[in-house]
Amino acid sequence: MSDEFIPFSRPSLTECEIAAVNEVLRSGWWTTGKRVAEFEEAFAGYVGAEHAVALNSCTAGLHVALAAVGVGAGDGVVTSTYTFVATTEVALYLGSHPLLVDIDAETLCIDPRQADTLISALSTQDWRAALSEAVGVGDLPRGCGRYLALETAPTPRALVPVHFAGRAAAMGSLMKSARAHDIAVVEDAAHAVETRSEGQKVGAIGDATAFSFYATKNLSTGEGGMVTTDDRVLAEHMRRLALHGISKDAWTRYDSKGSWYYDVLEQGYKYNMTDIAAALGMCQLGRIEDMAVRRAAIAEAYIRRLGSVEAVTAPAFDEHDGRAWHLFVIQLDPDRLTIDRGGFIDRLKDKGIGASVHFIPVHTHPFYRARYGFETGDYPVAEAVFANCVTLPLYPDMTDAQVDRVCGAVESICEENTR
């Protein structure tokens, strides 16, 4: 058995990606150009959206999307505490407040009932009384009561569902809540290339959807992202925001048919994707279905093997739930083990296996605790999941032998450390 280290994740590289990048390098046009335009068109077609704007990160996509739908100073952006902090920091970029709710214990995505209750409470004229009552009777977790300390009501302007680990949030319920209160829906689909929600591909359900192409993602350009929408005006606005607020097709000013002149129409940012990244993306997009099949096969093998390990709870495998297997997250049973999650990960590392944790709940970070007064116990479901979760390696180039080795390591660690 090989003792080569098995990383938590590794990009899938073929000669296609190498040749495509070399072609761009030799072309002399390395920044935003025709490769980006091709990638945007192809990706929009893949997810079933009318428009796509390529960017340098999913964070950028969330930022320009929230800005374009009108989120501003003092507004509220409702999202899950169980996410990477990029989801919440973009709200702060705009001077708004991230309004956190807990997660559903099964899907690990935002709890739609809590989201609806919080939106309704903050949309009421006497918002303090409505919010106090909802927290007081347990309809909302204690953390939502922290917003009572704000001087004015953080009126919800956007809802940001986070599709966790490739599983879709309850978009039917969430869209109904958002439309009832006339707020925008910007999906955080960093984990959700290939994901379906109630049979529909993620990418054209909400008002805008932001995807990540980071090195660990199912489709990777190293760094990069895409935001999709069916709204032409919204797409043009996001495209303008992504490049300094400059008028349309600013990148063509260096082309033989371009002009040196441009207009800055509003304050913007520097978020454009390069042709180098887009070349990678086109190759990855061409292979995405094959990579998805392999990811699902690995997940199924994990579930079959680890299902008999009493100290571990693995996610269920349901080929009809529309899940894209981005992450494979297991839950440890602390009552059955003599080691904690940190000790478990250390022992995996000793056996040459990388692992990670997804996610540290936003409200537990020192910055957010200081800003909003969050405390331990404010979002109990997210905290309980976080305390015992471990993300195992999952990437399409994993061999069957490597999958078997990971399973064997989990089995032996549990056997050696059972109460």
Side-chain angles (χ1 to χ4, degrees), residues 361-396:
V362 171
H363 74 278
T364 66
H365 289 294
F367 171 81
Y368 289 91
R369 292 171 74 97
R371 190 178 186 97
Y372 292 105
F374 293 127
E375 297 179 358
T376 301
D378 276 354
Y379 297 94
V381 180
E383 291 176 28
V385 171
F386 163 67
N388 299 298
C389 69
V390 177
T391 306
L392 298 179
L394 176 58
Y395 49 95

PDB file of all heavy atoms in Angstrom, residues 361-396:
ATOM      1  N   PRO A 361     -18.688  28.319  12.127  1.00  0.00           N
ATOM      2  CA  PRO A 361     -19.829  29.236  12.006  1.00  0.00           C
ATOM      3  C   PRO A 361     -19.401  30.697  12.138  1.00  0.00           C
ATOM      4  O   PRO A 361     -18.555  31.046  12.962  1.00  0.00           O
ATOM      5  CB  PRO A 361     -20.736  28.812  13.165  1.00  0.00           C
ATOM      6  CG  PRO A 361     -20.403  27.373  13.392  1.00  0.00           C
ATOM      7  CD  PRO A 361     -18.919  27.278  13.148  1.00  0.00           C
ATOM      8  N   VAL A 362     -19.987  31.530  11.309  1.00  0.00           N
ATOM      9  CA  VAL A 362     -19.609  32.947  11.255  1.00  0.00           C
ATOM     10  C   VAL A 362     -19.699  33.607  12.618  1.00  0.00           C
ATOM     11  O   VAL A 362     -18.805  34.368  13.019  1.00  0.00           O
ATOM     12  CB  VAL A 362     -20.500  33.693  10.236  1.00  0.00           C
ATOM     13  CG1 VAL A 362     -20.277  35.201  10.328  1.00  0.00           C
ATOM     14  CG2 VAL A 362     -20.219  33.196   8.822  1.00  0.00           C
ATOM     15  N   HIS A 363     -20.750  33.311  13.359  1.00  0.00           N
ATOM     16  CA  HIS A 363     -20.983  34.022  14.618  1.00  0.00           C
ATOM     17  C   HIS A 363     -19.962  33.689  15.700  1.00  0.00           C
ATOM     18  O   HIS A 363     -19.910  34.373  16.715  1.00  0.00           O
ATOM     19  CB  HIS A 363     -22.400  33.744  15.130  1.00  0.00           C
ATOM     20  CG  HIS A 363     -22.575  32.369  15.704  1.00  0.00           C
ATOM     21  ND1 HIS A 363     -22.808  31.260  14.921  1.00  0.00           N
ATOM     22  CD2 HIS A 363     -22.539  31.920  16.991  1.00  0.00           C
ATOM     23  CE1 HIS A 363     -22.925  30.192  15.695  1.00  0.00           C
ATOM     24  NE2 HIS A 363     -22.766  30.564  16.954  1.00  0.00           N
ATOM     25  N   THR A 364     -19.154  32.658  15.475  1.00  0.00           N
ATOM     26  CA  THR A 364     -18.147  32.295  16.481  1.00  0.00           C
ATOM     27  C   THR A 364     -16.816  33.005  16.279  1.00  0.00           C
ATOM     28  O   THR A 364     -15.952  32.933  17.152  1.00  0.00           O
ATOM     29  CB  THR A 364     -17.902  30.773  16.479  1.00  0.00           C
ATOM     30  OG1 THR A 364     -17.293  30.388  15.237  1.00  0.00           O
ATOM     31  CG2 THR A 364     -19.199  30.013  16.672  1.00  0.00           C
ATOM     32  N   HIS A 365     -16.629  33.667  15.153  1.00  0.00           N
ATOM     33  CA  HIS A 365     -15.365  34.359  14.893  1.00  0.00           C
ATOM     34  C   HIS A 365     -15.256  35.619  15.755  1.00  0.00           C
ATOM     35  O   HIS A 365     -16.255  36.332  15.953  1.00  0.00           O
ATOM     36  CB  HIS A 365     -15.256  34.741  13.415  1.00  0.00           C
ATOM     37  CG  HIS A 365     -15.031  33.577  12.510  1.00  0.00           C
ATOM     38  ND1 HIS A 365     -13.877  32.828  12.531  1.00  0.00           N
ATOM     39  CD2 HIS A 365     -15.824  33.013  11.549  1.00  0.00           C
ATOM     40  CE1 HIS A 365     -13.954  31.866  11.619  1.00  0.00           C
ATOM     41  NE2 HIS A 365     -15.123  31.960  11.026  1.00  0.00           N
ATOM     42  N   PRO A 366     -14.063  35.911  16.253  1.00  0.00           N
ATOM     43  CA  PRO A 366     -13.889  37.072  17.142  1.00  0.00           C
ATOM     44  C   PRO A 366     -14.415  38.381  16.566  1.00  0.00           C
ATOM     45  O   PRO A 366     -15.012  39.182  17.288  1.00  0.00           O
ATOM     46  CB  PRO A 366     -12.372  37.120  17.361  1.00  0.00           C
ATOM     47  CG  PRO A 366     -11.932  35.708  17.201  1.00  0.00           C
ATOM     48  CD  PRO A 366     -12.818  35.132  16.128  1.00  0.00           C
ATOM     49  N   PHE A 367     -14.209  38.616  15.279  1.00  0.00           N
ATOM     50  CA  PHE A 367     -14.659  39.869  14.672  1.00  0.00           C
ATOM     51  C   PHE A 367     -16.177  40.018  14.799  1.00  0.00           C
ATOM     52  O   PHE A 367     -16.686  41.078  15.182  1.00  0.00           O
ATOM     53  CB  PHE A 367     -14.248  39.920  13.199  1.00  0.00           C
ATOM     54  CG  PHE A 367     -14.847  41.081  12.450  1.00  0.00           C
ATOM     55  CD1 PHE A 367     -14.283  42.348  12.535  1.00  0.00           C
ATOM     56  CD2 PHE A 367     -15.990  40.919  11.680  1.00  0.00           C
ATOM     57  CE1 PHE A 367     -14.848  43.425  11.856  1.00  0.00           C
ATOM     58  CE2 PHE A 367     -16.559  41.976  10.991  1.00  0.00           C
ATOM     59  CZ  PHE A 367     -15.982  43.237  11.085  1.00  0.00           C
ATOM     60  N   TYR A 368     -16.909  38.967  14.463  1.00  0.00           N
ATOM     61  CA  TYR A 368     -18.368  39.044  14.492  1.00  0.00           C
ATOM     62  C   TYR A 368     -18.904  39.025  15.921  1.00  0.00           C
ATOM     63  O   TYR A 368     -19.946  39.633  16.208  1.00  0.00           O
ATOM     64  CB  TYR A 368     -18.968  37.908  13.661  1.00  0.00           C
ATOM     65  CG  TYR A 368     -18.743  38.125  12.185  1.00  0.00           C
ATOM     66  CD1 TYR A 368     -17.607  37.615  11.552  1.00  0.00           C
ATOM     67  CD2 TYR A 368     -19.630  38.873  11.429  1.00  0.00           C
ATOM     68  CE1 TYR A 368     -17.380  37.845  10.204  1.00  0.00           C
ATOM     69  CE2 TYR A 368     -19.413  39.106  10.073  1.00  0.00           C
ATOM     70  CZ  TYR A 368     -18.287  38.592   9.471  1.00  0.00           C
ATOM     71  OH  TYR A 368     -18.052  38.831   8.135  1.00  0.00           O
ATOM     72  N   ARG A 369     -18.208  38.342  16.822  1.00  0.00           N
ATOM     73  CA  ARG A 369     -18.615  38.375  18.228  1.00  0.00           C
ATOM     74  C   ARG A 369     -18.502  39.798  18.772  1.00  0.00           C
ATOM     75  O   ARG A 369     -19.379  40.284  19.491  1.00  0.00           O
ATOM     76  CB  ARG A 369     -17.754  37.419  19.043  1.00  0.00           C
ATOM     77  CG  ARG A 369     -17.999  35.956  18.720  1.00  0.00           C
ATOM     78  CD  ARG A 369     -16.969  35.058  19.386  1.00  0.00           C
ATOM     79  NE  ARG A 369     -17.190  34.940  20.815  1.00  0.00           N
ATOM     80  CZ  ARG A 369     -17.829  33.938  21.398  1.00  0.00           C
ATOM     81  NH1 ARG A 369     -18.326  32.944  20.667  1.00  0.00           N
ATOM     82  NH2 ARG A 369     -17.989  33.895  22.699  1.00  0.00           N
ATOM     83  N   ALA A 370     -17.399  40.463  18.403  1.00  0.00           N
ATOM     84  CA  ALA A 370     -17.197  41.833  18.887  1.00  0.00           C
ATOM     85  C   ALA A 370     -18.183  42.799  18.237  1.00  0.00           C
ATOM     86  O   ALA A 370     -18.694  43.722  18.895  1.00  0.00           O
ATOM     87  CB  ALA A 370     -15.764  42.272  18.616  1.00  0.00           C
ATOM     88  N   ARG A 371     -18.481  42.592  16.974  1.00  0.00           N
ATOM     89  CA  ARG A 371     -19.336  43.544  16.248  1.00  0.00           C
ATOM     90  C   ARG A 371     -20.802  43.435  16.663  1.00  0.00           C
ATOM     91  O   ARG A 371     -21.500  44.446  16.788  1.00  0.00           O
ATOM     92  CB  ARG A 371     -19.201  43.317  14.742  1.00  0.00           C
ATOM     93  CG  ARG A 371     -19.868  44.408  13.890  1.00  0.00           C
ATOM     94  CD  ARG A 371     -19.646  44.130  12.419  1.00  0.00           C
ATOM     95  NE  ARG A 371     -20.137  45.219  11.598  1.00  0.00           N
ATOM     96  CZ  ARG A 371     -19.406  46.210  11.116  1.00  0.00           C
ATOM     97  NH1 ARG A 371     -18.114  46.276  11.418  1.00  0.00           N
ATOM     98  NH2 ARG A 371     -19.939  47.149  10.353  1.00  0.00           N
ATOM     99  N   TYR A 372     -21.284  42.202  16.862  1.00  0.00           N
ATOM    100  CA  TYR A 372     -22.709  42.016  17.128  1.00  0.00           C
ATOM    101  C   TYR A 372     -23.019  41.418  18.498  1.00  0.00           C
ATOM    102  O   TYR A 372     -24.200  41.286  18.850  1.00  0.00           O
ATOM    103  CB  TYR A 372     -23.327  41.129  16.039  1.00  0.00           C
ATOM    104  CG  TYR A 372     -23.369  41.818  14.696  1.00  0.00           C
ATOM    105  CD1 TYR A 372     -22.482  41.471  13.686  1.00  0.00           C
ATOM    106  CD2 TYR A 372     -24.278  42.840  14.441  1.00  0.00           C
ATOM    107  CE1 TYR A 372     -22.506  42.103  12.453  1.00  0.00           C
ATOM    108  CE2 TYR A 372     -24.317  43.480  13.216  1.00  0.00           C
ATOM    109  CZ  TYR A 372     -23.429  43.111  12.220  1.00  0.00           C
ATOM    110  OH  TYR A 372     -23.451  43.754  11.006  1.00  0.00           O
ATOM    111  N   GLY A 373     -22.005  41.050  19.263  1.00  0.00           N
ATOM    112  CA  GLY A 373     -22.238  40.516  20.596  1.00  0.00           C
ATOM    113  C   GLY A 373     -22.643  39.059  20.631  1.00  0.00           C
ATOM    114  O   GLY A 373     -23.225  38.591  21.620  1.00  0.00           O
ATOM    115  N   PHE A 374     -22.336  38.302  19.565  1.00  0.00           N
ATOM    116  CA  PHE A 374     -22.696  36.890  19.541  1.00  0.00           C
ATOM    117  C   PHE A 374     -21.982  36.125  20.658  1.00  0.00           C
ATOM    118  O   PHE A 374     -20.857  36.460  21.052  1.00  0.00           O
ATOM    119  CB  PHE A 374     -22.321  36.257  18.199  1.00  0.00           C
ATOM    120  CG  PHE A 374     -23.108  36.780  17.037  1.00  0.00           C
ATOM    121  CD1 PHE A 374     -22.464  37.261  15.903  1.00  0.00           C
ATOM    122  CD2 PHE A 374     -24.497  36.782  17.049  1.00  0.00           C
ATOM    123  CE1 PHE A 374     -23.179  37.738  14.815  1.00  0.00           C
ATOM    124  CE2 PHE A 374     -25.224  37.256  15.969  1.00  0.00           C
ATOM    125  CZ  PHE A 374     -24.572  37.729  14.854  1.00  0.00           C
ATOM    126  N   GLU A 375     -22.638  35.071  21.127  1.00  0.00           N
ATOM    127  CA  GLU A 375     -22.083  34.215  22.169  1.00  0.00           C
ATOM    128  C   GLU A 375     -22.296  32.747  21.804  1.00  0.00           C
ATOM    129  O   GLU A 375     -23.123  32.414  20.952  1.00  0.00           O
ATOM    130  CB  GLU A 375     -22.761  34.506  23.517  1.00  0.00           C
ATOM    131  CG  GLU A 375     -22.541  35.916  24.039  1.00  0.00           C
ATOM    132  CD  GLU A 375     -23.265  36.156  25.357  1.00  0.00           C
ATOM    133  OE1 GLU A 375     -23.970  35.219  25.824  1.00  0.00           O
ATOM    134  OE2 GLU A 375     -23.139  37.272  25.899  1.00  0.00           O
ATOM    135  N   THR A 376     -21.551  31.883  22.490  1.00  0.00           N
ATOM    136  CA  THR A 376     -21.749  30.446  22.322  1.00  0.00           C
ATOM    137  C   THR A 376     -23.185  30.087  22.703  1.00  0.00           C
ATOM    138  O   THR A 376     -23.708  30.569  23.700  1.00  0.00           O
ATOM    139  CB  THR A 376     -20.773  29.668  23.214  1.00  0.00           C
ATOM    140  OG1 THR A 376     -19.436  30.025  22.853  1.00  0.00           O
ATOM    141  CG2 THR A 376     -20.962  28.168  23.045  1.00  0.00           C
ATOM    142  N   GLY A 377     -23.814  29.277  21.884  1.00  0.00           N
ATOM    143  CA  GLY A 377     -25.203  28.891  22.109  1.00  0.00           C
ATOM    144  C   GLY A 377     -26.201  29.693  21.308  1.00  0.00           C
ATOM    145  O   GLY A 377     -27.394  29.381  21.309  1.00  0.00           O
ATOM    146  N   ASP A 378     -25.726  30.707  20.587  1.00  0.00           N
ATOM    147  CA  ASP A 378     -26.643  31.564  19.827  1.00  0.00           C
ATOM    148  C   ASP A 378     -27.287  30.835  18.646  1.00  0.00           C
ATOM    149  O   ASP A 378     -28.434  31.119  18.283  1.00  0.00           O
ATOM    150  CB  ASP A 378     -25.913  32.813  19.318  1.00  0.00           C
ATOM    151  CG  ASP A 378     -25.861  33.923  20.357  1.00  0.00           C
ATOM    152  OD1 ASP A 378     -26.487  33.764  21.426  1.00  0.00           O
ATOM    153  OD2 ASP A 378     -25.209  34.953  20.097  1.00  0.00           O
ATOM    154  N   TYR A 379     -26.551  29.922  18.005  1.00  0.00           N
ATOM    155  CA  TYR A 379     -27.068  29.166  16.864  1.00  0.00           C
ATOM    156  C   TYR A 379     -26.740  27.699  17.100  1.00  0.00           C
ATOM    157  O   TYR A 379     -25.746  27.176  16.596  1.00  0.00           O
ATOM    158  CB  TYR A 379     -26.467  29.682  15.555  1.00  0.00           C
ATOM    159  CG  TYR A 379     -26.845  31.122  15.257  1.00  0.00           C
ATOM    160  CD1 TYR A 379     -26.026  32.180  15.641  1.00  0.00           C
ATOM    161  CD2 TYR A 379     -28.052  31.415  14.625  1.00  0.00           C
ATOM    162  CE1 TYR A 379     -26.384  33.501  15.384  1.00  0.00           C
ATOM    163  CE2 TYR A 379     -28.421  32.731  14.364  1.00  0.00           C
ATOM    164  CZ  TYR A 379     -27.584  33.763  14.750  1.00  0.00           C
ATOM    165  OH  TYR A 379     -27.947  35.057  14.496  1.00  0.00           O
ATOM    166  N   PRO A 380     -27.567  27.003  17.879  1.00  0.00           N
ATOM    167  CA  PRO A 380     -27.203  25.684  18.406  1.00  0.00           C
ATOM    168  C   PRO A 380     -27.012  24.586  17.368  1.00  0.00           C
ATOM    169  O   PRO A 380     -26.148  23.721  17.541  1.00  0.00           O
ATOM    170  CB  PRO A 380     -28.354  25.351  19.359  1.00  0.00           C
ATOM    171  CG  PRO A 380     -29.490  26.234  18.935  1.00  0.00           C
ATOM    172  CD  PRO A 380     -28.852  27.487  18.420  1.00  0.00           C
ATOM    173  N   VAL A 381     -27.792  24.588  16.293  1.00  0.00           N
ATOM    174  CA  VAL A 381     -27.645  23.517  15.305  1.00  0.00           C
ATOM    175  C   VAL A 381     -26.299  23.635  14.599  1.00  0.00           C
ATOM    176  O   VAL A 381     -25.553  22.656  14.480  1.00  0.00           O
ATOM    177  CB  VAL A 381     -28.800  23.531  14.288  1.00  0.00           C
ATOM    178  CG1 VAL A 381     -28.618  22.405  13.267  1.00  0.00           C
ATOM    179  CG2 VAL A 381     -30.141  23.390  14.987  1.00  0.00           C
ATOM    180  N   ALA A 382     -25.970  24.824  14.144  1.00  0.00           N
ATOM    181  CA  ALA A 382     -24.688  25.036  13.473  1.00  0.00           C
ATOM    182  C   ALA A 382     -23.527  24.714  14.400  1.00  0.00           C
ATOM    183  O   ALA A 382     -22.521  24.110  13.980  1.00  0.00           O
ATOM    184  CB  ALA A 382     -24.585  26.471  12.979  1.00  0.00           C
ATOM    185  N   GLU A 383     -23.629  25.098  15.644  1.00  0.00           N
ATOM    186  CA  GLU A 383     -22.549  24.836  16.596  1.00  0.00           C
ATOM    187  C   GLU A 383     -22.374  23.344  16.835  1.00  0.00           C
ATOM    188  O   GLU A 383     -21.244  22.844  16.918  1.00  0.00           O
ATOM    189  CB  GLU A 383     -22.822  25.566  17.909  1.00  0.00           C
ATOM    190  CG  GLU A 383     -22.702  27.075  17.790  1.00  0.00           C
ATOM    191  CD  GLU A 383     -23.066  27.792  19.087  1.00  0.00           C
ATOM    192  OE1 GLU A 383     -22.900  27.201  20.177  1.00  0.00           O
ATOM    193  OE2 GLU A 383     -23.529  28.953  19.012  1.00  0.00           O
ATOM    194  N   ALA A 384     -23.476  22.618  16.946  1.00  0.00           N
ATOM    195  CA  ALA A 384     -23.400  21.181  17.185  1.00  0.00           C
ATOM    196  C   ALA A 384     -22.795  20.451  15.981  1.00  0.00           C
ATOM    197  O   ALA A 384     -21.966  19.541  16.137  1.00  0.00           O
ATOM    198  CB  ALA A 384     -24.794  20.628  17.484  1.00  0.00           C
ATOM    199  N   VAL A 385     -23.191  20.859  14.780  1.00  0.00           N
ATOM    200  CA  VAL A 385     -22.638  20.245  13.573  1.00  0.00           C
ATOM    201  C   VAL A 385     -21.154  20.543  13.460  1.00  0.00           C
ATOM    202  O   VAL A 385     -20.329  19.652  13.205  1.00  0.00           O
ATOM    203  CB  VAL A 385     -23.392  20.741  12.320  1.00  0.00           C
ATOM    204  CG1 VAL A 385     -22.682  20.275  11.045  1.00  0.00           C
ATOM    205  CG2 VAL A 385     -24.829  20.247  12.337  1.00  0.00           C
ATOM    206  N   PHE A 386     -20.795  21.794  13.676  1.00  0.00           N
ATOM    207  CA  PHE A 386     -19.397  22.192  13.564  1.00  0.00           C
ATOM    208  C   PHE A 386     -18.501  21.439  14.544  1.00  0.00           C
ATOM    209  O   PHE A 386     -17.379  21.041  14.210  1.00  0.00           O
ATOM    210  CB  PHE A 386     -19.259  23.697  13.802  1.00  0.00           C
ATOM    211  CG  PHE A 386     -17.855  24.135  14.118  1.00  0.00           C
ATOM    212  CD1 PHE A 386     -16.857  24.050  13.164  1.00  0.00           C
ATOM    213  CD2 PHE A 386     -17.529  24.609  15.383  1.00  0.00           C
ATOM    214  CE1 PHE A 386     -15.555  24.432  13.451  1.00  0.00           C
ATOM    215  CE2 PHE A 386     -16.232  24.992  15.679  1.00  0.00           C
ATOM    216  CZ  PHE A 386     -15.245  24.909  14.715  1.00  0.00           C
ATOM    217  N   ALA A 387     -18.983  21.208  15.753  1.00  0.00           N
ATOM    218  CA  ALA A 387     -18.155  20.612  16.803  1.00  0.00           C
ATOM    219  C   ALA A 387     -17.647  19.230  16.437  1.00  0.00           C
ATOM    220  O   ALA A 387     -16.575  18.808  16.915  1.00  0.00           O
ATOM    221  CB  ALA A 387     -18.951  20.543  18.108  1.00  0.00           C
ATOM    222  N   ASN A 388     -18.369  18.520  15.564  1.00  0.00           N
ATOM    223  CA  ASN A 388     -18.026  17.120  15.310  1.00  0.00           C
ATOM    224  C   ASN A 388     -17.861  16.763  13.841  1.00  0.00           C
ATOM    225  O   ASN A 388     -17.790  15.589  13.495  1.00  0.00           O
ATOM    226  CB  ASN A 388     -19.107  16.218  15.923  1.00  0.00           C
ATOM    227  CG  ASN A 388     -19.218  16.400  17.419  1.00  0.00           C
ATOM    228  OD1 ASN A 388     -18.268  16.151  18.155  1.00  0.00           O
ATOM    229  ND2 ASN A 388     -20.388  16.854  17.877  1.00  0.00           N
ATOM    230  N   CYS A 389     -17.783  17.765  12.962  1.00  0.00           N
ATOM    231  CA  CYS A 389     -17.705  17.456  11.535  1.00  0.00           C
ATOM    232  C   CYS A 389     -16.261  17.363  11.049  1.00  0.00           C
ATOM    233  O   CYS A 389     -15.374  18.054  11.533  1.00  0.00           O
ATOM    234  CB  CYS A 389     -18.466  18.487  10.716  1.00  0.00           C
ATOM    235  SG  CYS A 389     -17.734  20.127  10.696  1.00  0.00           S
ATOM    236  N   VAL A 390     -16.059  16.477  10.087  1.00  0.00           N
ATOM    237  CA  VAL A 390     -14.759  16.304   9.421  1.00  0.00           C
ATOM    238  C   VAL A 390     -15.030  16.122   7.930  1.00  0.00           C
ATOM    239  O   VAL A 390     -15.906  15.337   7.546  1.00  0.00           O
ATOM    240  CB  VAL A 390     -13.993  15.076   9.953  1.00  0.00           C
ATOM    241  CG1 VAL A 390     -12.683  14.886   9.187  1.00  0.00           C
ATOM    242  CG2 VAL A 390     -13.716  15.200  11.443  1.00  0.00           C
ATOM    243  N   THR A 391     -14.290  16.821   7.106  1.00  0.00           N
ATOM    244  CA  THR A 391     -14.427  16.681   5.658  1.00  0.00           C
ATOM    245  C   THR A 391     -13.312  15.787   5.137  1.00  0.00           C
ATOM    246  O   THR A 391     -12.129  16.102   5.280  1.00  0.00           O
ATOM    247  CB  THR A 391     -14.365  18.055   4.965  1.00  0.00           C
ATOM    248  OG1 THR A 391     -15.328  18.926   5.556  1.00  0.00           O
ATOM    249  CG2 THR A 391     -14.659  17.918   3.482  1.00  0.00           C
ATOM    250  N   LEU A 392     -13.696  14.672   4.541  1.00  0.00           N
ATOM    251  CA  LEU A 392     -12.733  13.703   4.017  1.00  0.00           C
ATOM    252  C   LEU A 392     -12.328  14.070   2.583  1.00  0.00           C
ATOM    253  O   LEU A 392     -13.037  14.809   1.903  1.00  0.00           O
ATOM    254  CB  LEU A 392     -13.344  12.304   4.038  1.00  0.00           C
ATOM    255  CG  LEU A 392     -13.729  11.744   5.415  1.00  0.00           C
ATOM    256  CD1 LEU A 392     -14.348  10.351   5.255  1.00  0.00           C
ATOM    257  CD2 LEU A 392     -12.534  11.703   6.354  1.00  0.00           C
ATOM    258  N   PRO A 393     -11.209  13.535   2.106  1.00  0.00           N
ATOM    259  CA  PRO A 393     -10.785  13.813   0.729  1.00  0.00           C
ATOM    260  C   PRO A 393     -11.838  13.383  -0.290  1.00  0.00           C
ATOM    261  O   PRO A 393     -12.455  12.321  -0.158  1.00  0.00           O
ATOM    262  CB  PRO A 393      -9.513  12.974   0.576  1.00  0.00           C
ATOM    263  CG  PRO A 393      -8.991  12.822   1.967  1.00  0.00           C
ATOM    264  CD  PRO A 393     -10.212  12.720   2.822  1.00  0.00           C
ATOM    265  N   LEU A 394     -12.053  14.219  -1.283  1.00  0.00           N
ATOM    266  CA  LEU A 394     -12.980  13.918  -2.367  1.00  0.00           C
ATOM    267  C   LEU A 394     -12.605  14.746  -3.581  1.00  0.00           C
ATOM    268  O   LEU A 394     -12.798  15.965  -3.590  1.00  0.00           O
ATOM    269  CB  LEU A 394     -14.429  14.206  -1.948  1.00  0.00           C
ATOM    270  CG  LEU A 394     -15.504  14.031  -3.038  1.00  0.00           C
ATOM    271  CD1 LEU A 394     -15.495  12.619  -3.596  1.00  0.00           C
ATOM    272  CD2 LEU A 394     -16.878  14.374  -2.498  1.00  0.00           C
ATOM    273  N   TYR A 395     -12.034  14.082  -4.589  1.00  0.00           N
ATOM    274  CA  TYR A 395     -11.707  14.756  -5.850  1.00  0.00           C
ATOM    275  C   TYR A 395     -11.647  13.686  -6.937  1.00  0.00           C
ATOM    276  O   TYR A 395     -11.377  12.508  -6.656  1.00  0.00           O
ATOM    277  CB  TYR A 395     -10.405  15.542  -5.753  1.00  0.00           C
ATOM    278  CG  TYR A 395      -9.222  14.796  -5.174  1.00  0.00           C
ATOM    279  CD1 TYR A 395      -8.306  14.158  -6.003  1.00  0.00           C
ATOM    280  CD2 TYR A 395      -9.014  14.747  -3.795  1.00  0.00           C
ATOM    281  CE1 TYR A 395      -7.210  13.487  -5.480  1.00  0.00           C
ATOM    282  CE2 TYR A 395      -7.919  14.078  -3.256  1.00  0.00           C
ATOM    283  CZ  TYR A 395      -7.030  13.453  -4.105  1.00  0.00           C
ATOM    284  OH  TYR A 395      -5.941  12.775  -3.586  1.00  0.00           O
ATOM    285  N   PRO A 396     -11.937  14.056  -8.179  1.00  0.00           N
ATOM    286  CA  PRO A 396     -12.146  13.040  -9.218  1.00  0.00           C
ATOM    287  C   PRO A 396     -10.939  12.183  -9.543  1.00  0.00           C
ATOM    288  O   PRO A 396     -11.104  11.062 -10.036  1.00  0.00           O
ATOM    289  CB  PRO A 396     -12.596  13.855 -10.440  1.00  0.00           C
ATOM    290  CG  PRO A 396     -12.222  15.263 -10.140  1.00  0.00           C
ATOM    291  CD  PRO A 396     -12.248  15.404  -8.662  1.00  0.00           C
TER     292      PRO A 396
END
